[in-house]
Amino acid sequence: MFFAKLVSRIVLLALLFIFFYQSAQVEASQQQFAEWLENLKVEAIKRGISKKIVDSALTEVKLIPRVVELDRKQPEFSLTFNQYMERVVPRSRIKRARKKLAENRALLEEIGNKFGVQPRFIVALWGIETDFGRITGGFPVISSLATLAYDGRRSKFFRKELLLALKIIDGGHILAKDMIGSWAGAMGQNQFMPSSFHAYAVDYDKDGSKDIWKTLPDIFASIANYLSKSGWRSDQTWGRAVSLPENFSSKFLGRKLKKPLSEWQQLGVRKLSGQDLPKRNLLSSIIRPEKGQIGPAFAIYKNYDVILKWNRSNYFATAVGILSDKIKP
């Protein structure tokens, strides 16, 4: 009996020690974050952001453990290309994309002409990024960026993004409480990081704010401006699916090797239907997006590289191209 009571007391003392130790750690961490935040406020004000905005936007900022978890444990990309396409470009999305293109045709054509970007690509990016504005993220952007800037793994990058996010608020484009986005800080119906917002967002309706959250003219124009400034060619498409001859060497695969379509034709590359490649002598590369250089093959043009500046994933860029083809008038 005595021994049992002694063990119970030891266990209780151990639990109390752990509790107080963890509490002390949390308190110390919170104190360190508070000091870090004060330092950030000083830097923000030095960079010209109003003290009023700095104080109000950062008053309720908190560390978000889930953001750190997502940043450190991003799932390994294991989908096959066909699985990815089924998920990202299902028939339902193609149907909605056609409808959205038709509903906004006049505005999209106006913006497309102004920026030199085909409307179908604007709609395709909009659809794949946020399902036409339906899924834009549920994290408070300022707290997410503060967490990532404080966490240390990519602190320099996210500190810069955080300061740029504060500038967006200071510019009157959105209130801090309404700045909701992905865990990594991407915002709006086109999922711009703060740096992309400053570089490419457009106040197309001239109301004084670049509203990529709710205003379609601004959303469409911002997407088009991004592509335009990244080198988009309105006289070209993105690429096309092709068939390769049985003896096609893997040394010819990859974005670094570019040949005129006529040379790929000589090497036995054909349209998926088996017909000859277009006579237009565009420079192109042959890729197989799937890891291991297996699966479907594509001849890709300059605009494909522009889409990759938006998201450096061959799966993503190919999906945007395919969705744009599916809704082409």
Side-chain angles (χ1 to χ4, degrees):
M1 182 67 73
F2 173 78
F3 180 74
K5 288 183 178 180
L6 180 61
V7 170
S8 297
R9 288 177 181 177
I10 291 173
V11 170
L12 178 60
L13 288 171
L15 291 172
L16 287 171
F17 174 80
I18 292 171
F19 172 77
F20 285 116
Y21 177 75
Q22 290 179 336
S23 297
Q25 280 190 317
V26 170
E27 186 176 346
S29 178
Q30 290 175 340
Q31 179 61 32
Q32 289 172 354
F33 179 64
E35 292 172 0
W36 178 88
L37 203 56
E38 288 303 314
N39 178 270
L40 178 79
K41 289 180 180 180
V42 171
E43 181 180 354
I45 292 169
K46 284 182 179 179
R47 289 177 177 267
I49 303 170
S50 72
K51 186 177 186 303
K52 180 181 178 181
I53 289 297
V54 170
D55 289 338
S56 62
L58 297 177
T59 296
E60 300 298 325
V61 168
K62 296 178 181 178
L63 292 175
I64 307 176
R66 178 61 177 158
V67 167
V68 177
E69 181 183 337
L70 289 167
D71 183 50
R72 292 180 178 173
K73 297 181 180 179
Q74 295 182 48
E76 184 178 347
F77 200 79
S78 58
L79 294 177
T80 66
F81 177 74
N82 287 333
Q83 287 171 336
Y84 179 86
M85 289 300 301
E86 288 171 4
R87 179 178 296 186
V88 176
V89 192
R91 289 183 181 178
S92 59
R93 180 162 288 164
I94 295 169
K95 184 177 179 181
R96 288 195 69 200
R98 287 173 178 158
K99 182 179 179 182
K100 294 294 182 181
L101 181 60
E103 288 174 351
N104 300 282
R105 187 174 300 280
L107 175 62
L108 285 163
E109 288 182 352
E110 178 185 311
I111 289 172
N113 289 332
K114 180 178 177 62
F115 291 96
V117 177
Q118 303 93 310
R120 62 191 176 102
F121 287 98
I122 299 173
V123 173
L125 276 164
W126 181 36
I128 289 177
E129 277 292 3
T130 63
D131 197 28
F132 314 101
R134 189 177 68 87
I135 305 170
T136 58
F139 289 86
V141 168
I142 297 299
S143 286
S144 292
L145 291 174
T147 299
L148 292 166
Y150 175 74
D151 180 54
R153 195 172 78 87
R154 292 186 288 168
S155 59
K156 186 176 181 180
F157 170 78
F158 284 111
R159 187 182 184 95
K160 177 185 174 184
E161 294 293 335
L162 175 55
L163 291 166
L164 289 172
L166 292 172
K167 280 192 174 183
I168 294 171
I169 298 166
D170 195 34
H173 302 289
I174 192 171
L175 297 175
K177 67 180 181 63
D178 297 327
M179 189 181 267
I180 305 298
S182 76
W183 64 265
M187 311 173 293
Q189 294 193 33
N190 42 11
Q191 290 292 277
F192 276 1
M193 291 296 290
S195 54
S196 294
F197 181 97
H198 284 282
Y200 306 113
V202 175
D203 176 18
Y204 195 77
D205 65 356
K206 306 297 182 184
D207 69 347
S209 68
K210 300 173 182 179
D211 184 6
I212 63 171
W213 293 269
K214 296 179 180 178
T215 303
L216 289 184
D218 292 4
I219 293 162
F220 295 160
S222 297
I223 293 172
N225 191 40
Y226 189 111
L227 296 177
S228 178
K229 286 187 174 179
S230 298
W232 191 264
R233 292 285 302 272
S234 61
D235 62 337
Q236 297 181 16
T237 186
W238 67 279
R240 66 175 60 249
V242 294
S243 64
L244 305 179
E246 288 186 11
N247 62 346
F248 192 80
S249 174
S250 61
K251 71 180 183 181
F252 292 129
L253 294 172
R255 291 191 299 113
K256 291 183 179 180
L257 179 63
K258 298 183 185 298
K259 292 178 177 291
L261 285 175
S262 57
E263 290 190 26
W264 291 124
Q265 173 77 19
Q266 291 173 5
L267 288 168
V269 180
R270 296 291 184 271
K271 291 181 180 179
L272 206 57
S273 63
Q275 296 177 314
D276 288 347
L277 295 175
K279 299 297 184 184
R280 190 177 178 190
N281 225 13
L282 294 174
L283 278 178
S284 61
S285 302
I286 305 297
I287 66 164
R288 275 181 156 147
E290 192 157 345
K291 187 176 179 181
Q293 296 183 335
I294 60 175
F298 300 86
I300 56 169
Y301 312 141
K302 178 178 174 57
N303 285 343
Y304 187 93
D305 292 331
V306 174
I307 300 171
L308 283 176
K309 292 179 182 178
W310 184 292
N311 184 319
R312 292 203 168 277
S313 161
N314 282 322
Y315 278 23
F316 177 90
T318 307
V320 170
I322 289 175
L323 179 56
S324 75
D325 285 347
K326 295 288 186 182
I327 63 175
K328 185 177 181 179

